[in-house]
Amino acid sequence: MTALPELVARHARALAATATDPVSAFIYDLPALRRHVQWLKSLLPPGVELYYAIKANSEAPVLEALAPWVDGFEISSGGEIARALQSGPRRNFIFSGPGKLDSDLRQALRHNVEMIHVESLDEIRRLNAIASELQKRQPVLIRINPSLPAHLATKLSMAGAPTPFGIDEAQLPQAVALVEACPHLALHGFHVHAMSHQLDVERHIQLLDWYLERWPSWQALASDRQTVRWLNAGGGMGVNYLLPQQFDWARLCRHLAARLSSNPQAPRIRFEPGRLVTAFCGYYLMQVLDLKHSHGKNFAVCRGGTHQFRLPSAQGHDHPVLHLPAAHAAATPAAWTVVGQLCTPKDVLSRDAVLSGLAIGDLLVLPLAGAYGYNISHADFLCHPRPQQIFIDAEPSQTTPSRSESHAAHANP
Ligand SMILES: *Cc1c(COP(=O)(O)O)cnc(C)c1O
C-alpha cells in the first residue's frame, strides 16, 4: 500500500490541531508531483512529447508545479483555457473534446492554441469559419475513432466502438479532404485517445504498435504528406488504486524507443495523460466523527464524504485507507467500513478496511486522490462547507526527497 509521506502526515496533524471542528481536506504534495513528472518525462524517448490533460486536476498550484516540466497542457473547454493561461509560465496548449462551443474555439485561437483536435465534419467547418474571421491558419489534428481489430477493441471505452468521440476511421478520407479544402486550417496529423484506466502495459503497447502500423495509410490520405507529422496517442494510462503495481511506464517508453529508432518514417509522438500525472500527489483527509456497529458490521463515520471525494464510488472500488496515528501495535485489527456524513447508503469510501485501534478523532488519509478527486465531486450536496485544499510546497530544506516519498509514487522506479 502507498506509504504516507511524513510531510503530508505533518500537515494533516497540524490542520486537525488548529481546526475548531473535525476536518476533511485535500492535501497535495507538490514536491512529490514535480519529482514524478520529471521521472515520467525523463524516460520518454527523445522527441516524444508529454502534455498534461488538465481535466484530471486543474488547480492553479498543480499547473504551476507541472508547467516547467511538461511540453504543454491538453485542455477541453474554455474554462480550462483560462486556467491554463493563469498557470504562470506560458505553456503551449492543445484543445480536444466533443461539443466545443464557438466561443471556446474563438478563445482558443485568440490565445494561440497550438493545435485543435477536430472531432466532427461540422466542427471542421465551424473552426474554419472562426479562423477565417480571426485571419488565422489554424493547425489541426483529426481525432480518429479507429476501426480496431477485435482483440484490441475489447474494453476500450472511447474508440473502436460507437462513441461520440472523434471521426470514424471510415470517414477519415472525407475529413482529410474537408480540412484540405478549408483555407484557414492546416492538417498536421492525427489524434487517438482510445481509453482510460489502462493498467496493462502490454495491451497499451499493442495499441500503440497498431497506430504506428496504420500511420502510413493515414498519412497517405493527405495530398502533402510532409506536413502531416504528428500522432497524438492520447492518455489513458491507469492508476492501480488497489495494488502497489502501477502501470509500467518505463516499459512503454523502452518499447517506444526501440520502435522509433527502427522506423525513420515514424510520426512525431505526443502523449497527453492526466490521471498518471497527478493521481499520486493528492491525499483526502477525513477525521473520524463516530464509530458504530450495525448488524455485524463496523462503521467509521467521518467528516466529509463521497460528495467531496467521489472517485471511489465513481469507480466502484474500496479505496485504500491509511490511519493516523499509525496503528497501535497492541490493538486488535478490525474491519471498518469508512463512510462520510451524507444521508445516503451510497456514501461509502471503503468497505472493510482493516485498521487497528481506531478511535473517534483519529485521522484517516485516502491516498491517490490527486486526479479526478475533488473536481469530479458534488461538493455542495447537503450544504456542507467545501473542504480546504492544501498545497504543500516545501521550503528548500524539505525538498530533499526522503526514500518513502520519492518512490511512493513509482512502482517501477
Ligand atoms: C481525459 C482525456 C485525456 C486524459 O485521460 P487520462 O485517462 O486521465 O490519462 C487525454 N486526452 C483526452 C482527449 C481526454 O479526453
Side-chain angles (χ1 to χ4, degrees), residues 28-69:
Y28 302 95
D29 184 347
L30 298 179
L33 175 62
R34 290 192 188 91
R35 289 193 296 276
H36 182 63
V37 70
Q38 287 171 65
W39 176 79
L40 292 173
K41 178 84 180 146
S42 70
L43 297 181
L44 280 173
V48 175
E49 293 187 339
L50 182 69
Y51 278 60
Y52 168 58
I54 78 168
K55 78 168 184 281
N57 185 331
S58 59
E59 297 294 338
V62 167
L63 298 188
E64 278 160 29
L66 291 173
W69 309 107

mmCIF file of all heavy atoms in Angstrom, residues 28-69:
data_model
loop_
_atom_site.group_PDB
_atom_site.id
_atom_site.type_symbol
_atom_site.label_atom_id
_atom_site.label_comp_id
_atom_site.label_asym_id
_atom_site.label_seq_id
_atom_site.Cartn_x
_atom_site.Cartn_y
_atom_site.Cartn_z
ATOM 1 N N TYR A 28 -2.112 18.233 -1.122
ATOM 2 C CA TYR A 28 -1.332 17.897 -2.320
ATOM 3 C C TYR A 28 0.146 18.115 -2.046
ATOM 4 O O TYR A 28 0.544 19.165 -1.551
ATOM 5 C CB TYR A 28 -1.758 18.768 -3.503
ATOM 6 C CG TYR A 28 -3.227 18.652 -3.840
ATOM 7 C CD1 TYR A 28 -4.150 19.566 -3.330
ATOM 8 C CD2 TYR A 28 -3.693 17.620 -4.646
ATOM 9 C CE1 TYR A 28 -5.504 19.461 -3.637
ATOM 10 C CE2 TYR A 28 -5.045 17.506 -4.947
ATOM 11 C CZ TYR A 28 -5.942 18.429 -4.438
ATOM 12 O OH TYR A 28 -7.278 18.327 -4.730
ATOM 13 N N ASP A 29 0.924 17.118 -2.397
ATOM 14 C CA ASP A 29 2.370 17.142 -2.173
ATOM 15 C C ASP A 29 3.045 17.598 -3.478
ATOM 16 O O ASP A 29 3.349 16.783 -4.352
ATOM 17 C CB ASP A 29 2.805 15.719 -1.772
ATOM 18 C CG ASP A 29 4.270 15.620 -1.405
ATOM 19 O OD1 ASP A 29 5.030 16.580 -1.677
ATOM 20 O OD2 ASP A 29 4.668 14.571 -0.859
ATOM 21 N N LEU A 30 3.255 18.902 -3.591
ATOM 22 C CA LEU A 30 3.785 19.440 -4.851
ATOM 23 C C LEU A 30 5.236 19.033 -5.127
ATOM 24 O O LEU A 30 5.578 18.757 -6.281
ATOM 25 C CB LEU A 30 3.632 20.966 -4.899
ATOM 26 C CG LEU A 30 2.188 21.479 -4.841
ATOM 27 C CD1 LEU A 30 2.166 23.004 -4.875
ATOM 28 C CD2 LEU A 30 1.334 20.910 -5.965
ATOM 29 N N PRO A 31 6.102 18.974 -4.106
ATOM 30 C CA PRO A 31 7.454 18.478 -4.409
ATOM 31 C C PRO A 31 7.425 17.054 -4.989
ATOM 32 O O PRO A 31 8.167 16.741 -5.932
ATOM 33 C CB PRO A 31 8.159 18.503 -3.041
ATOM 34 C CG PRO A 31 7.437 19.579 -2.281
ATOM 35 C CD PRO A 31 6.005 19.491 -2.721
ATOM 36 N N ALA A 32 6.545 16.204 -4.452
ATOM 37 C CA ALA A 32 6.435 14.840 -4.991
ATOM 38 C C ALA A 32 5.887 14.868 -6.421
ATOM 39 O O ALA A 32 6.315 14.090 -7.280
ATOM 40 C CB ALA A 32 5.533 13.989 -4.098
ATOM 41 N N LEU A 33 4.950 15.783 -6.678
ATOM 42 C CA LEU A 33 4.407 15.908 -8.038
ATOM 43 C C LEU A 33 5.507 16.295 -9.025
ATOM 44 O O LEU A 33 5.608 15.737 -10.119
ATOM 45 C CB LEU A 33 3.289 16.966 -8.050
ATOM 46 C CG LEU A 33 2.699 17.298 -9.426
ATOM 47 C CD1 LEU A 33 2.047 16.076 -10.065
ATOM 48 C CD2 LEU A 33 1.698 18.445 -9.323
ATOM 49 N N ARG A 34 6.352 17.236 -8.620
ATOM 50 C CA ARG A 34 7.443 17.659 -9.511
ATOM 51 C C ARG A 34 8.398 16.503 -9.795
ATOM 52 O O ARG A 34 8.803 16.288 -10.927
ATOM 53 C CB ARG A 34 8.244 18.808 -8.888
ATOM 54 C CG ARG A 34 7.487 20.112 -8.828
ATOM 55 C CD ARG A 34 8.421 21.278 -8.484
ATOM 56 N NE ARG A 34 7.631 22.452 -8.263
ATOM 57 C CZ ARG A 34 7.154 22.829 -7.071
ATOM 58 N NH1 ARG A 34 7.448 22.122 -5.977
ATOM 59 N NH2 ARG A 34 6.409 23.897 -6.964
ATOM 60 N N ARG A 35 8.735 15.750 -8.742
ATOM 61 C CA ARG A 35 9.639 14.607 -8.964
ATOM 62 C C ARG A 35 8.985 13.592 -9.894
ATOM 63 O O ARG A 35 9.634 13.021 -10.767
ATOM 64 C CB ARG A 35 9.982 13.935 -7.634
ATOM 65 C CG ARG A 35 10.888 14.758 -6.745
ATOM 66 C CD ARG A 35 11.447 13.915 -5.603
ATOM 67 N NE ARG A 35 10.416 13.428 -4.700
ATOM 68 C CZ ARG A 35 9.907 14.144 -3.680
ATOM 69 N NH1 ARG A 35 10.336 15.369 -3.440
ATOM 70 N NH2 ARG A 35 8.982 13.618 -2.906
ATOM 71 N N HIS A 36 7.702 13.363 -9.699
ATOM 72 C CA HIS A 36 7.012 12.355 -10.501
ATOM 73 C C HIS A 36 6.961 12.758 -11.984
ATOM 74 O O HIS A 36 7.234 11.939 -12.868
ATOM 75 C CB HIS A 36 5.590 12.163 -9.942
ATOM 76 C CG HIS A 36 4.795 11.126 -10.660
ATOM 77 N ND1 HIS A 36 5.169 9.790 -10.687
ATOM 78 C CD2 HIS A 36 3.654 11.215 -11.385
ATOM 79 C CE1 HIS A 36 4.270 9.111 -11.400
ATOM 80 N NE2 HIS A 36 3.351 9.951 -11.826
ATOM 81 N N VAL A 37 6.627 14.010 -12.262
ATOM 82 C CA VAL A 37 6.521 14.409 -13.673
ATOM 83 C C VAL A 37 7.897 14.412 -14.333
ATOM 84 O O VAL A 37 8.045 14.051 -15.500
ATOM 85 C CB VAL A 37 5.774 15.751 -13.847
ATOM 86 C CG1 VAL A 37 6.576 16.934 -13.351
ATOM 87 C CG2 VAL A 37 5.376 15.953 -15.304
ATOM 88 N N GLN A 38 8.920 14.769 -13.567
ATOM 89 C CA GLN A 38 10.276 14.722 -14.138
ATOM 90 C C GLN A 38 10.666 13.291 -14.470
ATOM 91 O O GLN A 38 11.316 13.022 -15.470
ATOM 92 C CB GLN A 38 11.286 15.330 -13.163
ATOM 93 C CG GLN A 38 11.179 16.843 -13.083
ATOM 94 C CD GLN A 38 12.037 17.414 -11.958
ATOM 95 O OE1 GLN A 38 13.248 17.315 -11.990
ATOM 96 N NE2 GLN A 38 11.390 17.990 -10.967
ATOM 97 N N TRP A 39 10.259 12.392 -13.594
ATOM 98 C CA TRP A 39 10.533 10.966 -13.837
ATOM 99 C C TRP A 39 9.796 10.490 -15.095
ATOM 100 O O TRP A 39 10.381 9.831 -15.955
ATOM 101 C CB TRP A 39 10.109 10.170 -12.595
ATOM 102 C CG TRP A 39 10.227 8.686 -12.715
ATOM 103 C CD1 TRP A 39 11.369 7.934 -12.594
ATOM 104 C CD2 TRP A 39 9.160 7.757 -12.968
ATOM 105 N NE1 TRP A 39 11.068 6.602 -12.760
ATOM 106 C CE2 TRP A 39 9.730 6.472 -12.993
ATOM 107 C CE3 TRP A 39 7.789 7.891 -13.181
ATOM 108 C CZ2 TRP A 39 8.973 5.311 -13.219
ATOM 109 C CZ3 TRP A 39 7.033 6.742 -13.398
ATOM 110 C CH2 TRP A 39 7.623 5.473 -13.420
ATOM 111 N N LEU A 40 8.528 10.832 -15.232
ATOM 112 C CA LEU A 40 7.763 10.438 -16.426
ATOM 113 C C LEU A 40 8.452 10.956 -17.687
ATOM 114 O O LEU A 40 8.641 10.232 -18.662
ATOM 115 C CB LEU A 40 6.337 11.009 -16.375
ATOM 116 C CG LEU A 40 5.382 10.455 -15.320
ATOM 117 C CD1 LEU A 40 4.081 11.260 -15.309
ATOM 118 C CD2 LEU A 40 5.087 8.981 -15.549
ATOM 119 N N LYS A 41 8.822 12.212 -17.636
ATOM 120 C CA LYS A 41 9.406 12.874 -18.811
ATOM 121 C C LYS A 41 10.785 12.295 -19.139
ATOM 122 O O LYS A 41 11.130 12.118 -20.302
ATOM 123 C CB LYS A 41 9.475 14.374 -18.514
ATOM 124 C CG LYS A 41 10.087 15.222 -19.571
ATOM 125 C CD LYS A 41 9.121 15.622 -20.660
ATOM 126 C CE LYS A 41 9.825 16.494 -21.687
ATOM 127 N NZ LYS A 41 9.345 16.309 -23.048
ATOM 128 N N SER A 42 11.542 11.990 -18.094
ATOM 129 C CA SER A 42 12.922 11.551 -18.309
ATOM 130 C C SER A 42 12.990 10.206 -19.025
ATOM 131 O O SER A 42 13.995 9.898 -19.651
ATOM 132 C CB SER A 42 13.659 11.465 -16.968
ATOM 133 O OG SER A 42 13.142 10.369 -16.222
ATOM 134 N N LEU A 43 11.961 9.398 -18.938
ATOM 135 C CA LEU A 43 12.011 8.076 -19.570
ATOM 136 C C LEU A 43 11.542 8.095 -21.022
ATOM 137 O O LEU A 43 11.768 7.135 -21.753
ATOM 138 C CB LEU A 43 11.154 7.084 -18.773
ATOM 139 C CG LEU A 43 11.622 6.816 -17.344
ATOM 140 C CD1 LEU A 43 10.713 5.794 -16.677
ATOM 141 C CD2 LEU A 43 13.057 6.337 -17.309
ATOM 142 N N LEU A 44 10.889 9.157 -21.424
ATOM 143 C CA LEU A 44 10.390 9.206 -22.808
ATOM 144 C C LEU A 44 11.555 9.286 -23.789
ATOM 145 O O LEU A 44 12.549 9.965 -23.525
ATOM 146 C CB LEU A 44 9.493 10.432 -23.003
ATOM 147 C CG LEU A 44 8.063 10.320 -22.505
ATOM 148 C CD1 LEU A 44 7.364 11.673 -22.624
ATOM 149 C CD2 LEU A 44 7.288 9.255 -23.270
ATOM 150 N N PRO A 45 11.439 8.607 -24.928
ATOM 151 C CA PRO A 45 12.498 8.729 -25.945
ATOM 152 C C PRO A 45 12.606 10.185 -26.400
ATOM 153 O O PRO A 45 11.613 10.927 -26.353
ATOM 154 C CB PRO A 45 11.986 7.850 -27.101
ATOM 155 C CG PRO A 45 10.902 7.004 -26.535
ATOM 156 C CD PRO A 45 10.356 7.705 -25.337
ATOM 157 N N PRO A 46 13.792 10.590 -26.857
ATOM 158 C CA PRO A 46 13.967 11.972 -27.303
ATOM 159 C C PRO A 46 12.931 12.329 -28.371
ATOM 160 O O PRO A 46 12.624 11.514 -29.231
ATOM 161 C CB PRO A 46 15.372 11.986 -27.912
ATOM 162 C CG PRO A 46 16.038 10.738 -27.454
ATOM 163 C CD PRO A 46 14.988 9.771 -27.029
ATOM 164 N N GLY A 47 12.392 13.526 -28.282
ATOM 165 C CA GLY A 47 11.435 13.985 -29.292
ATOM 166 C C GLY A 47 9.992 13.625 -28.992
ATOM 167 O O GLY A 47 9.084 14.213 -29.568
ATOM 168 N N VAL A 48 9.769 12.663 -28.106
ATOM 169 C CA VAL A 48 8.385 12.328 -27.756
ATOM 170 C C VAL A 48 7.918 13.302 -26.679
ATOM 171 O O VAL A 48 8.617 13.533 -25.700
ATOM 172 C CB VAL A 48 8.264 10.868 -27.263
ATOM 173 C CG1 VAL A 48 6.848 10.575 -26.785
ATOM 174 C CG2 VAL A 48 8.667 9.905 -28.368
ATOM 175 N N GLU A 49 6.741 13.871 -26.895
ATOM 176 C CA GLU A 49 6.305 14.953 -26.019
ATOM 177 C C GLU A 49 5.299 14.494 -24.970
ATOM 178 O O GLU A 49 4.541 13.556 -25.200
ATOM 179 C CB GLU A 49 5.681 16.075 -26.855
ATOM 180 C CG GLU A 49 6.732 16.756 -27.726
ATOM 181 C CD GLU A 49 6.199 17.984 -28.435
ATOM 182 O OE1 GLU A 49 4.968 18.108 -28.602
ATOM 183 O OE2 GLU A 49 7.027 18.826 -28.825
ATOM 184 N N LEU A 50 5.332 15.211 -23.858
ATOM 185 C CA LEU A 50 4.413 14.929 -22.754
ATOM 186 C C LEU A 50 3.570 16.170 -22.488
ATOM 187 O O LEU A 50 4.086 17.190 -22.035
ATOM 188 C CB LEU A 50 5.200 14.556 -21.498
ATOM 189 C CG LEU A 50 4.355 14.177 -20.277
ATOM 190 C CD1 LEU A 50 3.639 12.850 -20.502
ATOM 191 C CD2 LEU A 50 5.233 14.079 -19.022
ATOM 192 N N TYR A 51 2.280 16.048 -22.781
ATOM 193 C CA TYR A 51 1.317 17.090 -22.414
ATOM 194 C C TYR A 51 0.535 16.563 -21.222
ATOM 195 O O TYR A 51 0.404 15.353 -21.052
ATOM 196 C CB TYR A 51 0.370 17.393 -23.587
ATOM 197 C CG TYR A 51 0.979 18.347 -24.597
ATOM 198 C CD1 TYR A 51 2.148 18.013 -25.264
ATOM 199 C CD2 TYR A 51 0.398 19.581 -24.858
ATOM 200 C CE1 TYR A 51 2.723 18.889 -26.167
ATOM 201 C CE2 TYR A 51 0.969 20.465 -25.767
ATOM 202 C CZ TYR A 51 2.133 20.115 -26.417
ATOM 203 O OH TYR A 51 2.707 20.997 -27.301
ATOM 204 N N TYR A 52 0.013 17.470 -20.419
ATOM 205 C CA TYR A 52 -0.802 17.063 -19.274
ATOM 206 C C TYR A 52 -2.258 17.418 -19.547
ATOM 207 O O TYR A 52 -2.570 18.583 -19.855
ATOM 208 C CB TYR A 52 -0.296 17.762 -18.001
ATOM 209 C CG TYR A 52 -1.231 17.628 -16.821
ATOM 210 C CD1 TYR A 52 -1.600 16.371 -16.344
ATOM 211 C CD2 TYR A 52 -1.760 18.758 -16.188
ATOM 212 C CE1 TYR A 52 -2.483 16.250 -15.264
ATOM 213 C CE2 TYR A 52 -2.631 18.640 -15.117
ATOM 214 C CZ TYR A 52 -2.991 17.379 -14.666
ATOM 215 O OH TYR A 52 -3.859 17.258 -13.606
ATOM 216 N N ALA A 53 -3.147 16.433 -19.442
ATOM 217 C CA ALA A 53 -4.590 16.662 -19.623
ATOM 218 C C ALA A 53 -5.131 17.271 -18.339
ATOM 219 O O ALA A 53 -5.335 16.571 -17.339
ATOM 220 C CB ALA A 53 -5.297 15.346 -19.935
ATOM 221 N N ILE A 54 -5.387 18.570 -18.365
ATOM 222 C CA ILE A 54 -5.626 19.269 -17.098
ATOM 223 C C ILE A 54 -6.991 18.963 -16.507
ATOM 224 O O ILE A 54 -7.264 19.325 -15.368
ATOM 225 C CB ILE A 54 -5.415 20.801 -17.214
ATOM 226 C CG1 ILE A 54 -6.599 21.513 -17.872
ATOM 227 C CG2 ILE A 54 -4.137 21.131 -17.950
ATOM 228 C CD1 ILE A 54 -6.507 23.040 -17.714
ATOM 229 N N LYS A 55 -7.863 18.259 -17.237
ATOM 230 C CA LYS A 55 -9.148 17.957 -16.612
ATOM 231 C C LYS A 55 -8.973 17.005 -15.426
ATOM 232 O O LYS A 55 -9.839 16.920 -14.572
ATOM 233 C CB LYS A 55 -10.151 17.410 -17.620
ATOM 234 C CG LYS A 55 -9.991 15.963 -18.006
ATOM 235 C CD LYS A 55 -11.246 15.510 -18.781
ATOM 236 C CE LYS A 55 -11.199 14.048 -19.124
ATOM 237 N NZ LYS A 55 -10.338 13.757 -20.279
ATOM 238 N N ALA A 56 -7.832 16.303 -15.350
ATOM 239 C CA ALA A 56 -7.588 15.423 -14.196
ATOM 240 C C ALA A 56 -7.447 16.229 -12.908
ATOM 241 O O ALA A 56 -7.855 15.773 -11.833
ATOM 242 C CB ALA A 56 -6.339 14.584 -14.429
ATOM 243 N N ASN A 57 -6.856 17.412 -12.996
ATOM 244 C CA ASN A 57 -6.735 18.321 -11.853
ATOM 245 C C ASN A 57 -6.160 19.633 -12.373
ATOM 246 O O ASN A 57 -5.008 19.679 -12.790
ATOM 247 C CB ASN A 57 -5.818 17.744 -10.762
ATOM 248 C CG ASN A 57 -5.783 18.623 -9.508
ATOM 249 O OD1 ASN A 57 -5.968 19.850 -9.594
ATOM 250 N ND2 ASN A 57 -5.528 18.030 -8.366
ATOM 251 N N SER A 58 -6.978 20.664 -12.366
ATOM 252 C CA SER A 58 -6.532 21.934 -12.956
ATOM 253 C C SER A 58 -6.345 23.020 -11.903
ATOM 254 O O SER A 58 -6.383 24.212 -12.219
ATOM 255 C CB SER A 58 -7.541 22.389 -14.011
ATOM 256 O OG SER A 58 -8.822 22.560 -13.423
ATOM 257 N N GLU A 59 -6.141 22.638 -10.644
ATOM 258 C CA GLU A 59 -5.890 23.646 -9.608
ATOM 259 C C GLU A 59 -4.609 24.406 -9.958
ATOM 260 O O GLU A 59 -3.613 23.807 -10.393
ATOM 261 C CB GLU A 59 -5.731 22.985 -8.236
ATOM 262 C CG GLU A 59 -6.982 22.267 -7.747
ATOM 263 C CD GLU A 59 -8.163 23.199 -7.471
ATOM 264 O OE1 GLU A 59 -7.928 24.407 -7.243
ATOM 265 O OE2 GLU A 59 -9.309 22.717 -7.508
ATOM 266 N N ALA A 60 -4.641 25.721 -9.736
ATOM 267 C CA ALA A 60 -3.525 26.564 -10.176
ATOM 268 C C ALA A 60 -2.163 26.096 -9.644
ATOM 269 O O ALA A 60 -1.197 26.021 -10.412
ATOM 270 C CB ALA A 60 -3.800 28.017 -9.804
ATOM 271 N N PRO A 61 -2.032 25.753 -8.336
ATOM 272 C CA PRO A 61 -0.697 25.340 -7.875
ATOM 273 C C PRO A 61 -0.207 24.055 -8.556
ATOM 274 O O PRO A 61 0.992 23.872 -8.751
ATOM 275 C CB PRO A 61 -0.895 25.109 -6.366
ATOM 276 C CG PRO A 61 -2.135 25.878 -6.012
ATOM 277 C CD PRO A 61 -3.009 25.825 -7.225
ATOM 278 N N VAL A 62 -1.156 23.191 -8.928
ATOM 279 C CA VAL A 62 -0.779 21.953 -9.621
ATOM 280 C C VAL A 62 -0.246 22.288 -11.017
ATOM 281 O O VAL A 62 0.813 21.800 -11.437
ATOM 282 C CB VAL A 62 -1.994 20.996 -9.689
ATOM 283 C CG1 VAL A 62 -1.746 19.847 -10.656
ATOM 284 C CG2 VAL A 62 -2.331 20.469 -8.291
ATOM 285 N N LEU A 63 -0.962 23.150 -11.735
ATOM 286 C CA LEU A 63 -0.498 23.527 -13.078
ATOM 287 C C LEU A 63 0.836 24.266 -13.009
ATOM 288 O O LEU A 63 1.726 24.045 -13.843
ATOM 289 C CB LEU A 63 -1.542 24.393 -13.786
ATOM 290 C CG LEU A 63 -2.901 23.741 -14.038
ATOM 291 C CD1 LEU A 63 -3.765 24.650 -14.916
ATOM 292 C CD2 LEU A 63 -2.762 22.370 -14.679
ATOM 293 N N GLU A 64 0.984 25.118 -11.996
ATOM 294 C CA GLU A 64 2.253 25.845 -11.873
ATOM 295 C C GLU A 64 3.414 24.899 -11.588
ATOM 296 O O GLU A 64 4.513 25.068 -12.106
ATOM 297 C CB GLU A 64 2.161 26.895 -10.760
ATOM 298 C CG GLU A 64 1.489 28.163 -11.249
ATOM 299 C CD GLU A 64 0.941 29.015 -10.111
ATOM 300 O OE1 GLU A 64 1.499 28.972 -8.994
ATOM 301 O OE2 GLU A 64 -0.069 29.719 -10.359
ATOM 302 N N ALA A 65 3.138 23.871 -10.772
ATOM 303 C CA ALA A 65 4.206 22.902 -10.463
ATOM 304 C C ALA A 65 4.586 22.102 -11.700
ATOM 305 O O ALA A 65 5.756 21.754 -11.904
ATOM 306 C CB ALA A 65 3.755 21.969 -9.334
ATOM 307 N N LEU A 66 3.605 21.811 -12.544
ATOM 308 C CA LEU A 66 3.872 20.970 -13.715
ATOM 309 C C LEU A 66 4.447 21.744 -14.891
ATOM 310 O O LEU A 66 5.197 21.193 -15.706
ATOM 311 C CB LEU A 66 2.577 20.285 -14.169
ATOM 312 C CG LEU A 66 2.017 19.217 -13.243
ATOM 313 C CD1 LEU A 66 0.641 18.762 -13.734
ATOM 314 C CD2 LEU A 66 2.965 18.020 -13.166
ATOM 315 N N ALA A 67 4.064 23.031 -14.987
ATOM 316 C CA ALA A 67 4.362 23.803 -16.201
ATOM 317 C C ALA A 67 5.819 23.711 -16.676
ATOM 318 O O ALA A 67 6.046 23.534 -17.871
ATOM 319 C CB ALA A 67 3.946 25.256 -16.015
ATOM 320 N N PRO A 68 6.804 23.801 -15.776
ATOM 321 C CA PRO A 68 8.176 23.764 -16.302
ATOM 322 C C PRO A 68 8.595 22.405 -16.860
ATOM 323 O O PRO A 68 9.602 22.309 -17.552
ATOM 324 C CB PRO A 68 9.042 24.081 -15.066
ATOM 325 C CG PRO A 68 8.109 24.583 -14.030
ATOM 326 C CD PRO A 68 6.766 24.030 -14.334
ATOM 327 N N TRP A 69 7.848 21.362 -16.547
ATOM 328 C CA TRP A 69 8.321 20.007 -16.871
ATOM 329 C C TRP A 69 7.565 19.331 -17.998
ATOM 330 O O TRP A 69 7.988 18.304 -18.509
ATOM 331 C CB TRP A 69 8.237 19.109 -15.613
ATOM 332 C CG TRP A 69 8.909 19.767 -14.455
ATOM 333 C CD1 TRP A 69 8.305 20.329 -13.371
ATOM 334 C CD2 TRP A 69 10.315 19.984 -14.282
ATOM 335 N NE1 TRP A 69 9.249 20.877 -12.537
ATOM 336 C CE2 TRP A 69 10.485 20.671 -13.067
ATOM 337 C CE3 TRP A 69 11.444 19.650 -15.048
ATOM 338 C CZ2 TRP A 69 11.744 21.041 -12.591
ATOM 339 C CZ3 TRP A 69 12.692 20.026 -14.570
ATOM 340 C CH2 TRP A 69 12.820 20.710 -13.358
#
